[in-house]
Amino acid sequence: MADRTFRLYDSMSRVVKPLELLEPGHLRFYSCGPTVYSYAHIGNFRSFLTGDLIVRTAKELGWRVTWVTNITDVGHLTQDDVADAGGEDRMEKALHSKEGERFSNVWELAEYYGEKYREDWERLNLSEPTVRPKATQHVREQIVMTQALIDKGHAYETPTGVYFDVDSDPDYGKLSGNTRDGLKEAVRDVVLDENKRQQADFALWKKDDKHLMQWFSPWGWGFPGWHIECSAMARAYLGDTIDLHSGGEDNMFPHHECEIAQSEAFTGKPFSSHWVHTRFLQVEGEKMAKSKGNFFTVRDLIEQGFDPLALRYALISVPYGKPLNFTMQSLRDAQGNVERFRECERRIVAALGSMPEGADTPTGTDLERVAGEMLAAMCDDLNTSVAIAKAIEGTKIILRQNELSSADAAAAAWFLRRVEGLLGLWRVTPEDGCADTEPVVDGVTVSEWIERRATAKKNKDFTEADRIREALNAAGVELRDTPGGTTWAKKQV
Ligand code: AMP
Ligand code: ZN
């Protein structure tokens, strides 16, 4: 399998082409993560899932993968779709909103939503990245890069900050097509700043001694621009040139365009050999918006009783390069399909006593053929709709017989492990026999109850704290207060 070519659409050259690795057998990959000012929504997760599927496919091909995906916890402003962003820092704005009232400061808010994002990541069965750096942990590297860009004549200081001079980069615009001449359109809404040489120049550093997150720099107190964080972190963990960079389609301009300009001006080398962008998710044919009531987070849907793996199924059912229209019906349909994988597991366990960790390739069988076709589909620009159809075809072969012979069960186990590795649509059921969904009590997940209880205790409302403990207990969930925090377990019956 290892000699198979992995082809992906490259947004820079605008063709589907093989993913070329600088170091044979080792993929160095950076993908843009969330801004942790709120819960990530299912659209964000569609983009993160593209990264996960690339990593899974690479690993099935036998490649080593170094995957960096960041957490943006400073510098991402509200008006981020123009060449040089304006508005408030999203983190600060969130702290001053109704939802922000529960946090004492912006650091606590970032920590909270960062943790929630990691929980949702795990629930949707995304692979663990090699490293998940935070922008605030790499301010030093961002300052060093900004200073070097000034020294090389690519950036300049003004009374409001340090700006990248897009005129110093003849290639600016090569990814998005927003070249300097065509930038008039893109800068239409930019907040005018008369200190800049031209309005398309974008901030590397914002001077601001009132900002809630500020650092001291050669230009005084302030905070980094949003784009510089990804340039600095990609280089810190992956080197000057990386194999692949990904994000959602809105990241192409200005975020990735600006990353390319900064990184290439700094190193004098190509930044990334390949660019992948995920098309936006829509809900019931419309853009997701809180005001429309069609805005979903992963936890919203799990609280409604949906299986996280069914949500994963629905989110990856359409290839990343096509817009996805997410519907509640698609989620209900997915629920039945992920159950097929569990039924295969039950039949394997019935035949073999347990789910084997690994099994030999069932050479020459239909399952081997179907697994090969499933991998081929993923290598063909992540054709998830074909790959999933192949996974389901495999379950039909397995479920044809009510009782599996041990040889058939071993082959089925091998196939299920391929589905697990490549698509993540099945994972071993825990020993208590329950799918590893978190219990939901009165429409709220246990983790959320634990948080509400912690808030009640913090507010010295011990009656409420005890009520929550008892309500969960009555629903079969036991809480344990440990020095590291409160944990839960299903009560043994
Ligand atoms: P943000 O938290 O806004 O920085 O977004 C995190 C990632 O989610 C970025 O790569 C965005 O491009 C991506 N994204 C945002 N909205 C959607 C959507 N509706 N569908 C797919 N990806 C999205
Ligand atoms: Zn980024």
Side-chain angles (χ1 to χ4, degrees):
M1 283 190 190
D3 57 353
R4 211 183 270 276
T5 309
F6 186 4
R7 296 165 66 80
L8 285 171
Y9 181 80
D10 171 32
S11 318
M12 180 76 84
S13 55
R14 298 185 178 83
V15 289
V16 178
K17 63 176 200 184
L19 190 53
E20 305 273 1
L21 307 180
L22 275 172
E23 182 192 328
H26 179 195
L27 172 66
R28 273 181 285 217
F29 174 28
Y30 186 93
S31 45
C32 288
T35 310
V36 285
Y37 64 102
S38 183
Y39 298 109
H41 55 66
I42 56 172
N44 300 134
F45 270 98
R46 180 177 201 217
S47 287
F48 308 150
L49 279 160
T50 302
D52 169 63
L53 290 171
I54 290 172
V55 168
R56 286 173 177 276
T57 306
K59 287 187 177 164
E60 279 291 298
L61 290 172
W63 296 356
R64 183 158 84 82
V65 180
T66 307
W67 184 25
V68 180
T69 182
N70 66 301
I71 288 186
T72 299
D73 52 359
V74 69
H76 191 170
L77 306 186
T78 46
Q79 293 156 24
D80 63 356
D81 55 346
V82 288
D84 184 27
E88 282 176 85
D89 188 305
R90 288 175 183 235
M91 307 295 297
E92 287 204 7
K93 187 172 177 224
L95 186 70
H96 297 132
S97 72
K98 184 93 194 84
E99 288 83 35
E101 277 172 11
R102 56 200 285 205
F103 305 107
S104 340
N105 57 51
V106 73
W107 301 94
E108 206 178 85
L109 178 138
E111 197 54 39
Y112 177 85
Y113 288 118
E115 191 46 45
K116 297 293 132 191
Y117 149 72
R118 280 191 293 265
E119 274 172 30
D120 290 348
W121 182 278
E122 200 275 324
R123 284 165 164 164
L124 287 185
N125 204 23
L126 279 86
S127 347
E128 254 327 274
T130 317
V131 48
R132 201 196 291 280
K134 292 180 183 161
T136 53
Q137 292 168 334
H138 292 280
V139 176
R140 194 185 71 83
E141 289 89 335
Q142 297 175 69
I143 292 176
V144 167
M145 210 174 224
T146 301
Q147 183 60 55
L149 288 170
I150 297 177
D151 297 344
K152 287 170 187 253
H154 287 288
Y156 58 93
E157 184 182 355
T158 75
T160 58
V162 178
Y163 293 92
F164 187 92
D165 175 6
V166 297
D167 263 346
S168 74
D169 176 11
D171 282 346
Y172 187 75
K174 66 180 170 185
L175 175 68
S176 61
N178 279 326
T179 53
R180 282 168 302 148
D181 294 339
L183 261 176
K184 282 191 192 68
E185 185 64 14
V187 297
R188 200 180 47 219
D189 301 324
V190 170
V191 184
L192 284 181
D193 176 349
E194 63 203 21
N195 298 303
K196 291 200 296 186
R197 290 185 192 159
Q198 66 157 318
Q199 292 311 319
D201 292 351
F202 58 90
L204 301 171
W205 187 262
K206 295 255 184 194
K207 296 183 184 177
D208 187 349
D209 61 7
K210 307 267 178 317
H211 198 262
L212 295 179
M213 291 168 139
Q214 52 175 288
W215 290 263
F216 195 68
S217 74
W219 321 286
W221 290 98
F223 64 98
W226 171 35
H227 316 305
I228 192 78
E229 69 168 84
C230 290
S231 287
M233 291 188 280
R235 182 168 177 273
Y237 292 101
L238 298 169
D240 288 348
T241 300
I242 64 178
D243 300 311
L244 174 65
H245 194 311
S246 76
E249 61 177 320
D250 61 328
N251 284 156
M252 204 182 302
F253 186 86
H255 188 50
H256 290 164
E257 196 70 70
C258 297
E259 281 186 39
I260 296 169
Q262 299 157 163
S263 293
E264 298 191 350
F266 177 79
T267 62
K269 299 178 195 161
F271 178 36
S272 179
S273 312
H274 214 115
W275 289 87
V276 162
H277 292 97
T278 301
R279 296 294 300 275
F280 261 30
L281 170 138
Q282 295 200 317
V283 175
E284 310 282 353
E286 288 193 84
K287 189 171 191 269
M288 258 197 299
K290 284 197 173 138
S291 55
K292 288 192 196 143
N294 68 353
F295 184 94
F296 294 116
T297 63
V298 171
R299 56 204 51 232
D300 291 334
L301 294 166
I302 294 176
E303 279 174 17
Q304 287 180 28
F306 288 108
D307 180 336
L309 289 186
L311 178 53
R312 179 182 169 95
Y313 188 112
L315 291 176
I316 68 171
S317 57
V318 172
Y320 76 96
K322 298 196 177 121
L324 167 65
N325 183 24
F326 177 85
T327 62
M328 293 311 260
Q329 189 54 46
S330 66
L331 188 49
R332 283 188 282 273
D333 295 345
Q335 195 100 7
N337 281 329
V338 293
E339 201 41 52
R340 298 183 69 87
F341 301 118
R342 296 212 179 97
E343 182 54 27
C344 291
E345 180 189 0
R346 281 190 280 274
R347 302 234 183 139
I348 294 163
V349 172
L352 301 177
S354 64
M355 183 69 206
E357 278 296 324
D360 293 339
T361 310
T363 314
T365 61
D366 281 346
L367 284 179
E368 192 207 14
R369 175 186 53 79
V370 174
E373 288 165 355
M374 187 165 74
L375 179 60
M378 293 303 277
C379 289
D380 178 16
D381 199 19
L382 298 185
N383 193 336
T384 45
S385 47
V386 171
I388 291 175
K390 293 292 163 190
I392 297 294
E393 189 182 331
T395 65
K396 286 184 183 154
I397 296 172
I398 297 167
L399 298 176
R400 261 196 314 240
Q401 296 130 290
N402 274 334
E403 277 182 35
L404 296 175
S405 68
S406 30
D408 285 346
W414 175 86
F415 185 80
L416 215 47
R417 293 286 179 196
R418 301 278 72 71
V419 174
E420 176 185 39
L422 192 59
L423 300 174
L425 290 175
W426 166 80
R427 53 185 159 192
V428 177
T429 307
E431 275 174 14
D432 63 7
C434 301
D436 54 354
T437 46
E438 200 183 326
V440 175
V441 179
D442 293 336
V444 173
T445 58
V446 171
S447 325
E448 190 62 35
W449 278 123
I450 291 178
E451 264 158 39
R452 290 188 189 180
R453 182 165 163 265
T455 311
K457 278 187 175 174
K458 209 167 147 189
N459 297 334
K460 306 220 175 333
D461 185 353
F462 298 110
T463 320
E464 174 63 2
D466 288 345
R467 190 197 66 76
I468 293 175
R469 175 195 281 279
E470 277 152 29
L472 292 184
N473 203 37
V477 179
E478 204 169 7
L479 295 188
R480 290 178 198 142
D481 291 317
T482 72
T486 304
T487 61
W488 62 269
K490 287 182 191 157
K491 284 202 298 187
Q492 300 299 324
V493 276

